[in-house]
Amino acid sequence: MKIFIIYGGKSAEHDISIISAYHIMKEIYYDYYEVLPIYVTADGEWTKGELIETVEDIPSLSQLRKTKGRPFDFQELKNEDSIAFPILHGPNGEDGTIQGLFEIMNIPYVGSGVLASAAGMDKIVSKTLFENAGIPIVPYEVITPTDWETNPDDVLDRIKVKLPYPLYVKPANLGSSVGISQVNDIEELKAGIELAFTYDHRVLVEEGIVGTEMEVAILGNEDVHTSVVGALIKEVQFYDYNSKYIDQNVKLEIPADLPKDITKTLREYAAKAFMAIDGSGLSRADFFVTEDYQIYINEINTFPGFTPISMYPKLWEETGLVYGDLIEELIQLGVRRHETRNISYGREK
């Protein structure tokens, strides 16, 4: 089977995608697969690399970052016995757009479908779904461009009445802490809103929950499996993009030191969140847990990072599923989902 690994992309998480793709390529079982890397430049140009048939053929990270290559013809995706593996974080990759392309072309692909990808990426939509599923959410306010441009004072008053400082200001659609600000007064709040609007047309303002970030990895289609719980141990409450991926100041505690009933609840909530967005393949559910064990879901990530410091593969390794077997399971889940949907829709491959 040929695997089309699609990485890079136009989002602010472009570099993370490249690192994830590199490490996934290293773990694929080349006795059964060959890989064609497809690099999407920051400008949206699709180019293809050389066919990879063994681990020794894998390009270096610097080679994967090359912006020049042979143009890629989308029709190549329709090769028989092939699957697309989109390793794209953020908008234009993890938000249902590229999944829509795969659906139109009727090709199998790894990960969630259009609906789940779009809902999981949008922090406002996902909060509504989580709340309807009975999962506690962090109190929040939504700001639209019209609100902010025409009635900024009303927006600030609304936030002041409902949400106590510290607050977190976030673009509705993005990840890896890109565009997110921790704010402690009205001037920081204004600046944070302006920053978030440079990344998205809708902005989320959340109450700052004092607690530990807990994460649960999810795997499956209709049959949903959850991993052990992992904790992010931080010296300060909020780490930005550089702290997470450049300085690497975040320490992982796997499994998290929690009472058994809290661990059980977190895993149940993770599965509920996955089903609420109609997830398939993989996801990672992120929570806050306070000192008195109050639980709040933060978000669900439908394609979490696969870098050397990423929580998702580490959680499964601790649960008993090694990296290579995890990648194999994701591929098989994508194949099975495609077959099931074709039967449901009464269409041939």
Side-chain angles (χ1 to χ4, degrees):
M1 175 178 279
K2 179 181 285 186
I3 304 173
F4 293 93
I5 288 193
I6 305 167
Y7 67 98
K10 295 175 66 176
S11 85
E13 299 175 81
H14 180 97
D15 289 341
I16 303 167
S17 168
I18 296 171
I19 298 170
S20 291
Y22 174 72
H23 289 281
I24 287 174
M25 288 181 196
K26 290 173 66 176
E27 297 295 337
I28 286 172
Y29 294 146
Y30 288 96
D31 288 346
Y32 309 103
Y33 304 103
E34 58 184 16
V35 169
L36 186 67
I38 308 299
Y39 177 48
V40 184
T41 70
D43 295 326
E45 180 184 358
W46 288 50
T47 63
K48 63 182 178 181
E50 299 297 327
L51 191 67
I52 301 171
E53 297 180 293
T54 68
V55 174
E56 288 74 22
D57 297 336
I58 299 172
S60 66
L61 264 173
S62 60
Q63 290 173 320
L64 287 175
R65 289 189 174 97
K66 285 184 177 178
T67 56
K68 298 295 181 182
R70 296 172 295 162
F72 177 68
D73 183 351
F74 289 98
Q75 292 301 317
E76 290 185 47
L77 291 170
K78 294 184 70 69
N79 287 350
E80 289 188 13
D81 201 21
S82 64
I83 186 168
F85 200 143
I87 307 169
L88 297 164
H89 304 303
N92 298 305
E94 196 182 344
D95 60 354
T97 50
I98 197 168
Q99 289 77 15
L101 170 66
F102 300 148
E103 291 288 348
I104 289 170
M105 298 185 73
N106 190 25
I107 61 173
Y109 59 95
V110 172
S112 285
V114 175
L115 174 63
S117 298
M121 176 57 61
D122 192 300
K123 296 178 176 64
I124 297 168
V125 171
S126 59
K127 277 182 177 291
T128 302
L129 295 174
F130 298 153
E131 192 170 26
N132 287 341
I135 308 170
I137 62 171
V138 177
Y140 70 100
E141 281 289 319
V142 176
I143 307 173
T144 66
T146 302
D147 285 342
W148 188 239
E149 291 169 7
T150 60
N151 301 298
D153 290 337
D154 290 348
V155 171
L156 295 172
D157 287 342
R158 189 172 77 230
I159 294 170
K160 180 180 178 181
V161 169
K162 183 175 179 180
L163 304 175
Y165 291 107
L167 302 172
Y168 289 91
V169 185
K170 307 176 178 181
N173 289 271
L174 212 56
S176 298
S177 296
V178 175
I180 297 179
S181 303
Q182 181 187 41
V183 303
N184 296 285
D185 57 46
I186 192 166
E187 294 304 320
E188 290 182 353
L189 176 59
K190 291 177 184 177
I193 293 170
E194 293 289 349
L195 174 64
F197 270 128
T198 65
Y199 289 98
D200 199 2
H201 70 288
R202 285 148 71 241
V203 169
L204 187 71
V205 181
E206 291 182 333
E207 179 181 334
I209 300 297
V210 178
T212 302
E213 290 186 45
M214 303 287 179
E215 301 185 350
V216 180
I218 308 160
L219 186 67
N221 290 337
E222 292 80 11
D223 188 14
V224 182
H225 302 274
T226 59
S227 72
V228 299
V229 179
L232 299 181
I233 307 302
K234 304 180 293 185
E235 295 178 0
V236 296
Q237 184 67 17
F238 172 64
Y239 277 129
D240 60 13
Y241 176 93
N242 285 338
S243 298
K244 286 183 176 179
Y245 295 103
I246 307 302
D247 303 330
Q248 299 183 10
N249 288 326
V250 180
K251 293 182 175 60
L252 309 183
E253 181 183 84
I254 307 173
D257 184 15
L258 290 169
K260 289 183 178 180
D261 61 325
I262 301 301
T263 295
K264 181 174 182 289
T265 300
L266 285 167
R267 295 179 72 166
E268 289 174 349
Y269 281 163
K272 278 187 176 182
F274 188 69
M275 291 184 284
I277 67 168
D278 190 31
S280 56
L282 75 162
S283 285
R284 191 195 68 227
D286 301 347
F287 300 88
F288 297 116
V289 178
T290 65
E291 285 189 354
D292 60 350
Y293 297 118
Q294 296 296 309
I295 298 172
Y296 301 90
I297 190 166
N298 180 28
E299 61 183 356
I300 192 165
N301 190 322
T302 54
F303 201 92
F306 275 83
T307 73
I309 61 169
S310 294
M311 182 74 95
Y312 186 84
K314 288 181 177 293
L315 287 171
W316 280 118
E317 184 175 8
E318 182 66 27
T319 308
L321 188 62
V322 299
Y323 203 134
D325 289 348
L326 173 60
I327 300 303
E328 174 64 17
E329 182 63 20
L330 292 175
I331 293 167
Q332 294 305 320
L333 285 168
V335 171
R336 290 200 294 272
R337 178 180 181 275
H338 181 69
E339 292 172 348
T340 300
R341 287 173 67 84
N342 275 350
I343 292 171
S344 299
Y345 293 163
R347 64 189 184 189
E348 296 181 0
K349 181 178 177 181

